Amino acid sequence: DIFFGEEEGALMGINAIYSQMKSWDLIGFSWFGIMEVPSDNSDTGSSPADGSYARVNSLNDFTYDVYTSELNGWWTGNYKGIGFCNVALDNLDVLKDEQLKIRSIAQARFFRGFFYFNLVRTYGGVPLVTKVQNPDEYDQPCASEEAIYQQIIDDYNSEQDRATIEKTFMDLMDLANQM
C-alpha cells in the first residue's frame, strides 16, 4: 500500500509494464518467428551453415513443438507483462492522486488486454490470470478463446474513463511514430 500509494511507486509499477514492451521475448526473434516467418511476409533466408536453419524452418513449415524456444519466449514474455499489469491493478486502488490512479489503471488494463490478444491469437485458449497469484495457484487450466476475448473486452470497456484508454493508445502510437 505504501509503494503504490505514492506517485513515484505507481509510476514505477506502470513503467515495469512499459519496460516489458522492450523485452527480447516480445520484440526479438520470438515475435518475428511467430508473426512473420510463417506468413507470406518474409522468407527465412537461413541456410544450413548459419546454425538456425532447422529452428527457423520449423516455424516456417509449422513443424515446431513445445520445445521451440521462440514459442516459449513469446509465452513467457506476454505472461510477464500480464503479471506486471496484475501487480499494478491489484495495488493502484490506494493511490492518492485520483487522476493518476485513473490513468494508471487504464494503462494497466490496456496492456493486459494487449498481452492477452498476443497470446490468444497465437495459442487459442490460454490460462486466464487477472490477479496476482500465490505459488499454489500457478497451475491454471486454459480458458476458452471466448473467455480470453471477453477479458480483453472487459479490460477495454471497464468502468474507467474510455477516453483515458483511447488517449493511452494514441500516446503509444505517437511514441511508435517517433522511433
Side-chain angles (χ1 to χ4, degrees), residues 10-11 14 17 88-89 92 95 99-109 164:
L11 291 175
I14 295 301
I17 299 167
L89 291 168
L92 283 167
L95 184 58
Q99 286 301 101
L100 181 58
K101 180 193 306 186
I102 290 169
R103 189 176 80 224
S104 298
I105 289 172
Q107 290 177 68
R109 286 187 175 143
T164 302

Side-chain angles (χ1 to χ4, degrees), residues 79 82 86 112 116 127-133 138 140 148:
Y79 270 108
I82 290 167
N86 288 341
R112 185 168 65 185
Y116 271 119
L128 182 58
V129 181
T130 59
K131 65 180 186 65
V132 175
Q133 296 181 311
Y138 288 166
Q140 295 288 315
I148 300 299

Side-chain angles (χ1 to χ4, degrees), residues 153-165:
I153 291 166
D154 291 348
D155 275 343
Y156 290 170
N157 291 321
S158 68
E159 72 274 1
Q160 297 299 318
D161 181 5
R162 180 83 180 134
T164 302
I165 293 174

Side-chain angles (χ1 to χ4, degrees), residues 4-170:
F4 280 94
E6 300 298 327
E7 179 179 350
E8 184 178 1
L11 291 175
M12 289 174 71
I14 295 301
N15 286 344
I17 299 167
Y18 279 91
S19 72
Q20 185 60 20
M21 296 298 293
K22 299 186 309 181
S23 77
W24 179 252
D25 289 335
L26 292 182
I27 63 167
F29 193 75
S30 292
W31 176 86
F32 182 73
I34 290 169
M35 297 298 174
E36 293 295 321
V37 168
S39 75
D40 292 337
N41 295 334
S42 67
D43 181 17
T44 60
S46 295
S47 69
D50 74 11
S52 65
Y53 185 76
R55 190 184 85 222
V56 172
N57 279 328
S58 75
L59 296 167
N60 193 50
D61 298 337
F62 299 99
T63 58
Y64 46 82
D65 59 26
V66 297
Y67 301 106
T68 304
S69 63
E70 290 74 25
L71 293 176
N72 292 327
W74 187 245
W75 177 278
T76 302
N78 281 287
Y79 270 108
K80 281 181 186 176
I82 290 167
F84 290 140
C85 292
N86 288 341
V87 167
L89 291 168
D90 282 3
N91 291 287
L92 283 167
D93 60 322
V94 299
L95 184 58
K96 296 171 186 143
D97 181 332
E98 193 62 29
Q99 286 301 101
L100 181 58
K101 180 193 306 186
I102 290 169
R103 189 176 80 224
S104 298
I105 289 172
Q107 290 177 68
R109 286 187 175 143
F110 173 84
F111 278 112
R112 185 168 65 185
F114 170 81
F115 294 126
Y116 271 119
F117 188 64
N118 285 342
L119 290 168
V120 74
R121 289 183 306 149
T122 305
Y123 303 103
V126 295
L128 182 58
V129 181
T130 59
K131 65 180 186 65
V132 175
Q133 296 181 311
N134 294 316
D136 62 336
E137 299 173 301
Y138 288 166
D139 188 18
Q140 295 288 315
C142 288
S144 67
E145 287 182 46
E146 293 78 17
I148 300 299
Y149 281 115
Q150 188 59 55
Q151 181 62 49
I152 295 167
I153 291 166
D154 291 348
D155 275 343
Y156 290 170
N157 291 321
S158 68
E159 72 274 1
Q160 297 299 318
D161 181 5
R162 180 83 180 134
T164 302
I165 293 174
E166 290 171 0
K167 182 174 180 345
T168 298
F169 179 75
M170 295 310 293

